[in-house]
Amino acid sequence: EHSFPTRRSSDLYEDYKDSGVEWIGKTPFQWEVTRNKDIFEARGSLSDSGTETLLTVSHITGVTRRTEKNVNMFMAETMKGYKLCEKGDLIINTMWAWMGALGTSNEKGICSPAYGVYKPRKNKDYFYRYFDYLYRTPKSIMEMTRNSKGIVSSRLRLYSKEFFQMKTSLPNHETQKTIAEYLDTKTAQIDRKIELLTQKTTKYGELKQSLINEIVTRGLDKTVEMKDSGIEWIGEVPEHWEVKRLKDYIEFSKGINASVYTQEYVKDEKNLGIYPVYSGQTENDGVMGLINSYEYSFSAPVIFVTTVGAKAMTTQLLNGAFSLSQNCALLKNKASVDTSYVNYFLIVLFKEERKNIPAHMQPSLRIEDLKKHILIAPPIDEQKAIADYLDTKTAQIDLIIETINTQIEKLNELRKTLINDVVTGKIKVYKEGETI
């Protein structure tokens, strides 16, 4: 169980007061509730050379060096005139503050002219790491969003005037430093646990893929005679297996432009139907929306393949009634092939296809090209046996991965709660070695 810090009556500050600010709520009595303009001022200095370390800001990592980020965006020819920032400055991505793209800098550098750079006022209690934790809490980000200007969320901007009017509950410098150092230690411990668990899920994912690859191309019986498949990446296959084109075993249907009427339906809650529209343009398991009309209905499973987009070159077994977007293909088996087996084979095939696609490019696959791809087909009974075996084994691995992911979710939630409770004074922490 993850249980730090232990909650006790002595973990509370002596007295609390109502801050009068909704996002802060109750705050320790000694903490000062003040406007950001009394803590910060705009730095305003610009780079003469543009040669300083370029910093960027994201909602995931806060302020980091641009060289540490995998960014393919356009780079300006010169960075003269970029904003200078010093170690400890608060940097806010004006356009993405509503997502939490802000943080304090660990080093001197420069950043985009579109960012807001704020330095602490002289003689004001300020320990920069404390503010990095405070302003990236969910309630603080919501307050940033509330004070941002714009018609829709993707166009919101947090300007200096509005940021300065926001209020913060401010502990003294020593308390800020104690809180930040405590959180540095505890979050590092949590992050390490998350990293180890994430490595486990990666290993189990690789095990699952390796298992599918092995069984789909070699079969369950390791004693049978083998032959060359004629396909370089597959190598040898059981001698009695056939190697033919997918179109010899599969009926192909192309989806329709479902996005138009999907959008018409989903924007009006009264028209939400029960039939999903599958698309390659969404990460939501391929589901684009729900509609009342549908194009396809099957009593037996069919294979849905997205040919372009976020879910490109993946497969999914479907059943029942649904519509299909035009960037998808529907594969219906003929009598000589088992749908589940083909689904597993396509998982292997598409994994191999991705190796030939540069990482920065979006995978895409024309249906005409897909038809020409090969399928290694054992006898139908053997296909079903392979599919049943993989169903069982992959379900066991998926359950393990799901259990690990649940642990990761709990740790992430613990991390958020810990930061929020400590940085807002809901829990009092102590310096190492200090007597409680």
Side-chain angles (χ1 to χ4, degrees):
E1 289 297 319
H2 316 293
S3 57
F4 46 80
T6 304
R7 292 176 180 266
R8 300 163 298 189
S9 58
S10 56
D11 284 330
L12 303 176
Y13 288 84
E14 291 180 5
D15 199 8
Y16 289 82
K17 63 185 177 184
D18 185 353
S19 67
V21 181
E22 185 176 352
W23 82 271
I24 298 173
K26 289 186 176 181
T27 188
F29 188 81
Q30 299 88 347
W31 293 19
E32 177 190 4
V33 179
T34 182
R35 288 182 300 178
N36 286 346
K37 67 178 294 185
D38 297 323
I39 306 173
F40 297 96
E41 59 182 308
R43 180 164 290 281
S45 349
L46 304 178
S47 172
D48 293 327
S49 64
T51 59
E52 296 87 350
T53 301
L54 179 59
L55 304 175
T56 187
V57 186
S58 84
H59 68 288
I60 298 173
T61 56
V63 180
T64 52
R65 291 186 178 189
R66 175 66 177 263
T67 54
E68 296 175 2
K69 305 290 286 186
N70 183 19
V71 181
N72 295 316
M73 292 175 64
F74 168 78
M75 288 283 289
E77 289 185 11
T78 176
M79 289 178 284
K80 288 182 181 179
Y82 271 47
K83 289 187 176 180
L84 285 170
C85 48
E86 299 290 336
K87 179 178 179 178
D89 282 358
L90 174 68
I91 306 177
I92 300 178
N93 184 329
T94 307
M95 296 181 291
W96 297 101
W98 60 275
M99 281 188 66
L102 53 92
T104 55
S105 178
N106 290 310
E107 61 183 318
K108 181 178 180 178
I110 54 175
C111 63
S112 166
Y115 290 176
V117 180
Y118 305 97
K119 63 180 179 179
R121 289 187 176 275
K122 290 181 179 179
N123 304 319
K124 198 69 181 177
D125 284 335
Y126 183 83
F127 186 76
Y128 74 102
R129 291 289 298 147
Y130 168 80
F131 285 89
D132 194 87
Y133 284 115
L134 175 67
Y135 285 151
R136 296 176 68 195
T137 57
K139 284 189 177 181
S140 174
I141 294 169
M142 286 176 64
E143 184 69 1
M144 302 266 185
T145 303
R146 193 179 68 82
N147 284 276
S148 297
K149 301 296 182 183
I151 300 173
V152 294
S153 61
S154 61
R155 294 288 184 266
L156 289 177
R157 304 287 185 269
L158 180 65
Y159 299 110
S160 297
K161 178 182 177 182
E162 284 69 35
F163 170 70
F164 284 143
Q165 292 306 310
M166 290 172 54
K167 290 188 174 181
T168 293
S169 183
L170 192 65
N172 61 38
H173 182 273
E174 183 181 358
T175 303
Q176 291 178 34
K177 189 171 186 292
T178 298
I179 287 173
E181 290 176 347
Y182 174 87
L183 289 175
D184 284 345
T185 299
K186 295 304 181 185
T187 56
Q189 292 172 3
I190 296 174
D191 290 344
R192 179 56 180 159
K193 291 180 179 180
I194 291 173
E195 181 186 357
L196 291 172
L197 289 171
T198 302
Q199 289 174 5
K200 277 189 176 182
T201 63
T202 301
K203 292 294 184 185
Y204 277 111
E206 291 171 352
L207 173 63
K208 177 181 172 180
Q209 184 67 43
S210 177
L211 175 68
I212 295 171
N213 289 2
E214 173 69 19
I215 302 302
V216 161
T217 59
R218 299 292 184 269
L220 296 169
D221 186 354
K222 307 304 180 187
T223 66
V224 298
E225 292 292 325
M226 306 292 283
K227 67 179 179 183
D228 186 0
S229 67
I231 310 299
E232 183 178 353
W233 65 270
I234 292 177
E236 290 190 333
V237 297
E239 193 174 39
H240 62 288
W241 288 17
E242 292 185 335
V243 181
K244 291 187 177 181
R245 292 174 299 181
L246 271 170
K247 69 177 185 178
D248 295 327
Y249 294 97
I250 295 292
E251 294 177 7
F252 288 78
S253 301
K254 186 173 174 60
I256 58 170
N257 188 357
S259 62
V260 177
Y261 59 82
T262 301
Q263 291 165 7
E264 289 297 315
Y265 277 101
V266 298
K267 72 181 182 182
D268 184 350
E269 290 186 7
K270 291 184 295 185
N271 285 328
L272 285 179
I274 61 172
Y275 306 116
V277 176
Y278 289 90
S279 167
Q281 302 297 334
T282 173
E283 289 286 359
N284 186 26
D285 291 329
V287 180
M288 186 178 185
L290 298 173
I291 60 172
N292 284 328
S293 60
Y294 62 91
E295 298 297 322
Y296 304 100
S297 179
F298 295 93
S299 57
V302 291
I303 302 172
F304 145 65
V305 178
T306 69
T307 56
V308 67
K311 287 282 189 177
M313 292 167 56
T314 61
T315 62
Q316 185 175 345
L317 285 175
L318 303 179
N319 203 343
F322 54 89
S323 287
L324 203 65
S325 175
Q326 62 185 351
N327 53 24
C328 303
L330 190 67
L331 282 60
K332 185 180 179 184
N333 66 304
K334 298 177 182 177
S336 58
V337 71
D338 178 75
T339 311
S340 294
Y341 171 80
V342 176
N343 191 57
Y344 281 118
F345 182 84
L346 289 176
I347 290 173
V348 176
L349 174 64
F350 293 164
K351 188 76 173 179
E352 186 64 27
E353 282 286 311
R354 281 198 180 91
K355 292 180 182 178
N356 302 317
I357 300 173
H360 66 278
M361 290 183 62
Q362 176 175 265
S364 62
L365 186 68
R366 294 193 320 147
I367 292 178
E368 289 306 312
D369 293 333
L370 180 60
K371 288 180 179 179
K372 297 174 186 175
H373 272 295
I374 56 90
L375 174 69
I376 303 172
I380 187 69
D381 290 346
E382 196 171 344
Q383 291 178 36
K384 291 178 179 177
I386 287 173
D388 289 345
Y389 177 85
L390 288 176
D391 283 348
T392 300
K393 293 298 182 181
T394 58
Q396 292 171 351
I397 297 174
D398 287 342
L399 183 58
I400 294 172
I401 293 174
E402 183 181 347
T403 301
I404 296 173
N405 283 335
T406 299
Q407 295 178 46
I408 293 174
E409 288 173 12
K410 287 181 178 179
L411 283 168
N412 278 320
E413 194 57 40
L414 171 67
R415 192 184 195 280
K416 290 179 185 177
T417 302
L418 176 66
I419 292 172
N420 181 77
D421 287 354
V422 171
V423 86
T424 60
K426 304 299 185 291
I427 294 176
K428 185 175 183 179
V429 295
Y430 301 85
K431 289 185 291 187
E432 188 175 350
E434 184 176 349
T435 303
I436 298 177

